[in-house]
Amino acid sequence: MPNPNFYKTVADHQRVVDLIWSQMPHMQKRTSSSWWFFILFPRETEGYGPRQLMFAIATRAGQQIRIHGDWLPGLDLNRSLDDGADRFSAMVNGWYCDGRQVHEDFVKGTAVSTLSTAAKAIRCWSHRPGDTTIGMEICESATQPLALETRVVGQKGAAHFTAWGDLDCLHSSPEVSIDVDTAVGGVHFIAWRRMNFHGEFDLPTGRETLSGIGYFQRVCLNVPTFPWKWIWAVFPDGSLFSAYVPYVGLNLLRRGYHFFADNRKEQTAVSLFPAAFWDWPGPSEQIRFNQARVTPILGQKGEHPRFDVQVGNKQGDYVSFQAVPYGHANLDIDRPTLGGWLRMHWNYNEFMFRMEGLNGRVNGRPITFATMGLGFGSLEYTWGLGL
């Protein structure tokens, strides 16, 4: 029976959630990679942020791959799936930003993961000497319908939380955002853009019970990993802003975390199908922007660039601001090719930022610091090419 408060029926939502427990092996190619990813913004006194947490499980096709400095077997396209369980080597990674310091490698480990549609779970646990277990698991909650329960045990802390959506509009519901499968590649992408979370967190700064807003995605990327800029940001009233800008720039073959000496080279890029959206809190229609630019600006104080963000649409809605980082985390993926003669490299950088110079108008409503308060977000700036 459909629930009148739901954006779709329970059965519709369940069909999407069930796909989280598959990486669509029939779609996978030699360039495939898969990941399951949470970002969490705890509720603070004046909104969400500056604290943030990220947890992820990731894998990539290849004989041998290196993720975040650790070598592990790559995803075997001919692996057995006879018993209904998908077993593959993967990396667990997570960080915690306390608003001043980023605690990287909150959890970091490699292990043989088990992804099971029957158990409705993905588990990646590494058993270390001395009865130490490091890793992460995500499963469908046994006590709360259409919710995800996650456990993390890391070198610098632990977490046990449940995340769920209100299911009253597109962004609070699980959605298959992209489903493309061709002979040369494709993408199967599940996004849950607005989730509530609640749980217990043993942090480097102490043990806390936290609640707030989060984002979840399960991505099966069956093309080479390519450069992109991605933003997910939240305001004190729960309004969300997001932008996604795939691009090709002069940094396509850059290795490591560094930048060109001048803005002209760093900013030279061609955007490919950029998009963005605004989401008011509660049941609401998404406001889409078909024009989006995320431009790095070097030469500011501090080691990290700022980013000039501008989006707009034909209806006259627009948003602009500067994303000013106060934290940074890095991860890279390497895959040897041509018998080890060439090593393909993809570099992932995540910046925790606060908004400055906010200006815009959405649905006729002014978007400024005075009307929205201070927004915080996460910005991904990646480069390289994962052939």
Side-chain angles (χ1 to χ4, degrees):
M1 290 290 292
N3 185 319
N5 297 319
F6 284 3
Y7 166 67
K8 293 184 178 179
T9 67
V10 172
D12 289 334
H13 292 310
Q14 188 65 60
R15 277 190 287 270
V16 177
V17 172
D18 288 345
L19 291 174
I20 293 172
W21 320 120
S22 170
Q23 54 181 326
M24 318 302 281
H26 61 284
M27 297 172 62
Q28 290 181 317
K29 312 288 190 232
R30 293 181 59 192
T31 55
S32 290
S33 52
S34 303
W35 62 90
W36 293 255
F37 167 95
F38 271 108
I39 189 157
L40 308 176
F41 281 59
R43 178 73 187 184
E44 310 283 7
T45 305
E46 298 181 359
Y48 301 91
R51 295 197 293 172
Q52 305 181 27
L53 301 101
M54 187 283 295
F55 302 113
I57 300 173
T59 188
R60 193 191 192 291
Q63 187 173 7
Q64 286 287 316
I65 58 175
R66 188 176 73 170
I67 304 179
H68 203 29
D70 289 352
W71 287 97
L72 64 153
L75 190 66
D76 182 359
L77 300 183
N78 297 314
R79 64 195 183 278
S80 173
L81 302 170
D82 291 342
D83 60 356
D86 189 353
R87 296 180 179 87
F88 53 93
S89 295
M91 159 73 75
V92 172
N93 184 51
W95 50 256
Y96 165 58
C97 177
D98 63 18
R100 296 176 298 276
Q101 177 183 353
V102 180
H103 303 269
E104 290 197 80
D105 299 338
F106 180 96
V107 57
K108 179 188 177 185
T110 63
V112 175
S113 300
T114 301
L115 176 66
S116 173
T117 55
K120 298 185 177 182
I122 178 170
R123 296 184 170 94
C124 186
W125 295 104
S126 172
H127 302 288
R128 309 283 179 93
D131 269 347
T132 302
T133 300
I134 298 294
M136 174 178 172
E137 68 177 41
I138 308 169
C139 60
E140 191 164 341
S141 173
T143 59
Q144 186 172 343
L146 296 170
L148 303 179
E149 185 174 349
T150 300
R151 287 201 310 127
V152 179
V153 178
Q155 292 88 336
K156 297 181 181 178
H160 185 191
F161 63 92
T162 301
W164 68 98
D166 291 333
L167 309 177
D168 54 7
C169 64
L170 176 67
H171 293 119
S172 66
S173 304
E175 182 201 17
V176 179
S177 300
I178 306 174
D179 184 4
V180 176
D181 185 21
T182 72
V184 296
V187 181
H188 194 276
F189 175 32
I190 295 174
W192 209 331
R193 300 176 182 89
R194 176 197 295 276
M195 301 190 80
N196 311 296
F197 78 88
H198 178 83
E200 300 296 322
F201 295 81
D202 187 2
L203 304 171
T205 51
R207 187 173 181 84
E208 296 185 60
T209 300
L210 297 176
S211 300
I213 291 179
Y215 170 95
F216 172 80
Q217 63 178 214
R218 191 282 275 133
V219 181
C220 299
L221 185 67
N222 300 313
V223 296
T225 46
F226 50 85
W228 66 67
K229 304 160 191 171
W230 177 78
I231 293 172
W232 189 84
V234 60
F235 292 91
D237 70 347
S239 293
L240 298 180
F241 171 82
S242 185
Y244 178 58
V245 183
Y247 74 98
V248 177
L250 298 179
N251 58 12
L252 185 64
L253 300 179
R254 182 162 67 196
R255 296 174 180 269
Y257 182 68
H258 59 90
F259 303 95
F260 292 113
D262 62 79
N263 277 314
R264 183 182 61 82
K265 289 183 179 179
E266 191 68 35
Q267 296 172 0
T268 299
V270 177
S271 298
L272 306 172
F273 308 108
F277 73 81
W278 180 278
D279 178 43
W280 299 106
S284 61
E285 294 291 330
Q286 64 175 0
I287 293 89
R288 297 191 182 191
F289 305 95
N290 60 340
Q291 303 162 11
R293 291 188 297 174
V294 179
T295 306
I297 303 173
L298 307 177
Q300 304 292 331
K301 294 181 180 179
E303 61 175 315
H304 306 307
R306 297 186 175 204
F307 296 85
D308 185 66
V309 181
Q310 299 183 38
V311 303
N313 60 27
K314 295 179 180 178
Q315 290 72 40
D317 301 307
Y318 67 96
V319 176
S320 66
F321 60 88
Q322 276 206 353
V324 181
Y326 56 88
H328 166 255
N330 173 265
L331 181 148
D332 51 45
I333 301 177
D334 293 284
R335 178 182 180 229
T337 60
L338 302 177
W341 180 78
L342 182 65
R343 191 180 75 205
M344 303 309 300
H345 179 83
W346 185 76
N347 198 290
Y348 170 93
N349 298 282
E350 195 154 11
F351 298 92
M352 300 108 245
F353 72 86
R354 61 175 53 85
M355 292 184 181
E356 290 187 3
L358 178 64
N359 183 44
R361 184 169 291 273
V362 176
N363 290 146
R365 296 167 60 176
I367 305 298
T368 64
F369 174 78
T371 62
M372 300 302 303
L374 182 58
F376 291 94
S378 175
L379 187 152
E380 297 177 355
Y381 184 28
T382 76
W383 52 77
L385 188 62
L387 293 175

